[in-house]
């Protein structure tokens, strides 16, 4: 049942200036550390191609339909995710309890940003390392030692984390459009160009074929419930879905923009950059006898080897870490946006105040991650360090759960009138396909992966 008011609400915080601005903003959110830092080390840790192939399946069958659902819900609700889910919940299903989906997203963004800021801090630190020629001529062992020194110092890691969070707060305080659009316009093409330069370097290492095999030659011997859940979680993390972030951005999307095409463009860009990162990093891993399963330091221990031995490496290395820091910044902004919009709307404070309060709390919580690599590195429970637990809880539980609820809501509780009104009703078969995915395929896939990973079902 559709309510006449639906689709007619207007945004409280302004609009994106165009469809392109929105695509850029969502791409800026999606492309970040998830593609270049997390995807390669997860691929290495979880057995290569098994992880990559499940990941690609998850992106198409789960990621894309959920991204479309989040955007359409966001645009229809036009409020912060909590209020949007409450309003639409009432309109479409008579229950305001759907607001908890928004609340779950807000908590997810809060927790993710707390560790995201720390890793992003390292990328900023590496801009300076590269600039002062620290990698020039350095071998794998020296580069490894440099990273360990940074990671092992609570003071240095804490300092860069603080700097990065300050930048994030400043930008969020200034508003949704200004600056973001320009940053993404430069960053995504810039990153692509440097990745291609690095790809040429990787092709010359002699281990390119080995890397391609590792990533793409189907080998499911490593496949088990943990790998499948990790790949699903990574798809959510990398696409920025399941935590209402794309929903918050959708609230500022003009009514006439096509949600399907926008989502496709973002998913394609995000996935290409992740695969490129893998194809750059693994040849360096194999050519230097490094361990693909080395863990979270992988990107910081491999790429500097390339920068240290290629012509123009100082400049290219500096530019690379600078662009990666920007990519992380545009993601960090989106991680804060749902919470900030919610604080503004529910407490009636302005953007600057909301961004400062939220940012300072996230910064403080970030020290749980800062200390996970040094002072508290031996403090382990469940999944390992504090960082490992926050990472597992968010990527592997909260995001898939949030996404599952979003797809159930869009597929089963929203009327086809409302959803087809938001998606392009002219795109007849596209709409039907989306609806089959959100009603059946996507929720079934997430539920099966959950059941499998807790051992209630035996897939692999
Ligand atoms: N997608 C971002 C990345 O890959 C991280 C992110 C996750 C941003 C969830 C927003 C929401 O770096």
């Amino acid at each position: 049942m559709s309510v006449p008011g639906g689709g007619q609400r207007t945004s409280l915080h302004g609009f994106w200036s165009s469809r392109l601005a929105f695509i850029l903003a969502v791409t800026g959110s999606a492309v970040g550390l998830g593609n270049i830092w997390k995807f390669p080390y997860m691929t290495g840790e979880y057995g290569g191609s098994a992880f990559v192939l499940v990941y690609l399946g998850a992106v198409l069958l789960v990621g894309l339909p959920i991204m479309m659902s989040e955007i359409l819900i966001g645009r229809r609700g036009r409020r912060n995710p909590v209020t949007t889910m409450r309003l639409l919940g009432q309109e479409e299903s008579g229950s305001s309890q759907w607001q908890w989906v928004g609340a779950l997203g807000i908590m997810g963004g809060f927790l993710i940003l707390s560790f995201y800021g720390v890793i992003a801090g390292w990328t900023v630190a590496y801009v300076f390392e590269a600039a002062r020629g620290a990698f020039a001529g350095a071998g794998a062992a020296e580069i490894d030692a440099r990273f360990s020194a940074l990671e092992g110092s609570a003071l240095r890691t804490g300092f860069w984390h603080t700097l990065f969070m300050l930048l994030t707060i400043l930008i969020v305080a200034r508003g949704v459009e200004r600056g973001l659009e320009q940053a993404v316009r430069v960053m995504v093409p810039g990153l692509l160009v440097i990745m291609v330069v690095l790809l040429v370097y990787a092709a010359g290492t002699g281990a390119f074929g080995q890397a391609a095999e590792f990533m793409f030659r189907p080998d499911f011997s490593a496949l088990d419930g943990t790998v499948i859940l990790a790949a699903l979680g990574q798809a959510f993390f990398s696409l920025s879905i399941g935590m209402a972030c794309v929903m918050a951005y959708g609230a500022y999307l003009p009514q006439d923009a096509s949600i399907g095409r926008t989502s496709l463009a973002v998913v394609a860009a995000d996935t290409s950059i992740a695969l490129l990162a893998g194809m750059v990093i693994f040849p360096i891993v194999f050519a230097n006898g490094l361990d693909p399963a080395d863990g979270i330091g992988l990107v910081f221990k491999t790429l500097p080897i390339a920068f240290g031995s290629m012509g123009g490496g100082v400049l290219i290395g500096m530019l690379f870490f600078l662009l990666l820091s920007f990519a992380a910044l545009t993601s960090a902004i989106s991680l804060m946006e749902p919470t900030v919009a919610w604080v503004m709307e529910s407490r009636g404070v302005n953007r600057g105040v909301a961004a400062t309060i939220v940012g300072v709390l996230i910064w403080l919580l970030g020290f749980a991650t800062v200390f996970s690599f040094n002072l508290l590195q031996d403090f382990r429970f469940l999944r390992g360090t504090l960082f490992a637990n926050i990472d597992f809880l968010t990527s592997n539980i909260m995001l898939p759960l949030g996404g599952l609820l979003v797809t159930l809501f869009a597929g089963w509780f929203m009327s086809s009138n409302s959803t087809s009104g938001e998606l392009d009703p002219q795109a007849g078969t596209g709409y039907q396909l989306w609806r089959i995915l959100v009603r059946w395929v996507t929720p079934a896939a997430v539920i099966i992966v959950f059941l499998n990973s807790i051992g209630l079902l035996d897939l692999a």
Side-chain angles (χ1 to χ4, degrees):
M1 191 193 57
S2 131
V3 168
Q8 306 301 321
R9 276 178 288 264
T10 189
S11 164
L12 298 179
H13 309 298
F15 285 100
W16 302 106
S17 56
S18 64
R19 182 176 93 94
L20 183 66
F22 176 75
I23 294 187
L24 288 171
V26 181
T27 307
S29 166
V31 174
L33 298 173
N35 310 61
I36 288 170
W37 162 72
K38 201 171 181 191
F39 176 78
Y41 90 73
M42 297 275 283
T43 300
E45 240 169 53
Y46 290 103
S49 65
F51 178 87
V52 174
L53 298 175
V54 177
Y55 174 79
L56 292 176
V59 163
L60 279 181
L61 296 180
V62 178
L64 187 60
I66 292 183
M67 178 168 292
M68 292 175 65
S69 309
E70 278 197 28
I71 300 177
L72 87 85
I73 290 172
R75 182 166 74 181
R76 207 169 169 77
R78 294 247 186 254
R79 297 290 178 274
N80 73 76
V82 178
T83 312
T84 283
M85 287 308 295
R86 184 169 62 232
L87 278 175
L88 294 194
Q90 276 161 352
E91 286 175 12
E92 304 280 345
S93 75
S95 165
S96 53
Q97 297 310 316
W98 286 101
Q99 65 182 330
W100 293 104
V101 177
L104 183 72
I106 282 181
M107 281 187 296
F110 199 90
L111 288 170
I112 291 175
L113 186 51
S114 80
F115 71 76
Y116 204 87
V118 179
I119 315 295
W122 288 340
T123 68
V124 181
Y126 265 52
V127 175
F128 294 91
E129 293 280 289
R132 64 189 183 83
F135 308 138
E142 193 183 333
I143 284 180
D144 186 301
R146 276 195 184 280
F147 178 72
S148 303
L150 173 63
E151 168 187 59
S153 162
L155 197 67
R156 285 175 65 198
T157 296
F159 169 80
W160 294 108
H161 158 63
T162 304
L163 185 74
F164 183 83
M165 285 308 299
L166 261 175
L167 281 174
T168 307
I169 295 172
L170 273 174
I171 294 182
V172 175
R174 294 187 56 205
V176 287
E177 286 153 279
R178 270 179 290 172
L180 186 61
E181 207 173 321
Q182 284 312 319
V184 181
R185 253 183 228 265
V186 176
M187 171 208 97
V188 174
L191 262 182
L192 272 172
V193 170
I194 296 197
M195 299 298 277
V196 170
V197 171
L198 285 170
L199 198 65
V200 173
Y201 171 88
T205 57
F208 199 68
Q210 198 185 344
E213 260 189 37
F214 177 69
M215 279 181 68
F216 299 111
R217 183 198 219 144
D219 169 10
F220 293 107
S221 56
L223 201 66
D224 63 16
T226 328
V227 174
I228 300 177
L229 181 65
L232 180 80
Q234 173 62 13
F236 275 89
F237 184 85
S238 191
L239 295 174
S240 305
I241 54 173
M243 55 140 289
C245 146
V246 177
M247 194 187 288
Y249 274 12
Y252 320 132
L253 181 64
Q255 201 61 39
D256 55 1
S258 157
I259 291 177
R261 269 180 293 154
T262 304
S263 306
L264 259 179
V266 174
V267 168
D270 190 70
T271 308
S272 323
I273 293 186
L275 293 177
L276 254 178
M279 283 313 297
V280 166
I281 288 175
F282 288 113
I284 301 177
V285 167
F286 295 128
N288 290 280
L290 302 174
D291 177 10
D294 188 71
I296 61 155
L298 197 63
V299 68
F300 299 101
K301 294 178 183 177
T302 50
L303 296 189
I305 300 179
F307 300 135
S309 66
M310 70 205 281
V314 170
L315 187 69
I316 298 177
M318 209 180 89
L319 268 177
F320 173 82
F321 284 110
L322 192 66
L323 288 168
L324 186 55
S325 303
F326 271 119
L329 199 57
T330 56
S331 301
I333 294 167
S334 74
L335 282 161
M336 237 171 99
E337 183 60 26
T339 319
V340 168
W342 173 68
V343 171
M344 282 162 72
E345 288 170 33
S346 63
R347 296 278 168 271
V349 295
N350 68 33
R351 184 169 270 282
V353 173
T356 308
I357 296 173
V358 172
V360 167
L361 291 174
I362 294 176
W363 169 71
L364 283 174
L365 183 63
F367 283 90
T369 293
V370 170
F371 297 149
S372 292
F373 306 116
N374 34 69
L375 305 178
L376 295 178
Q377 59 177 325
D378 295 324
F379 176 59
R380 284 163 193 267
F381 58 102
L382 298 172
R383 302 275 150 185
T385 58
L386 279 165
F387 158 73
N389 280 293
I390 300 176
D391 178 32
F392 182 85
L393 173 68
T394 49
S395 289
N396 292 13
I397 300 178
M398 293 173 77
L399 299 187
L401 186 63
L404 176 63
L405 293 170
V406 162
T407 152
L408 290 175
F409 183 70
W412 294 96
F413 290 88
M414 289 184 81
S415 68
S416 53
N417 241 340
S418 317
T419 50
S420 71
E422 292 295 332
L423 297 174
D424 188 1
Q426 258 86 54
T429 46
Y431 177 74
Q432 289 309 329
L433 185 62
W434 171 81
R435 202 158 148 84
I436 293 171
L437 286 172
V438 285
R439 282 170 79 91
W440 302 100
V441 181
T442 308
V446 177
I447 290 171
I448 290 172
V449 174
F450 266 142
L451 292 180
N452 183 53
S453 72
I454 55 175
L456 284 182
L457 193 88
D458 199 10
L459 268 188

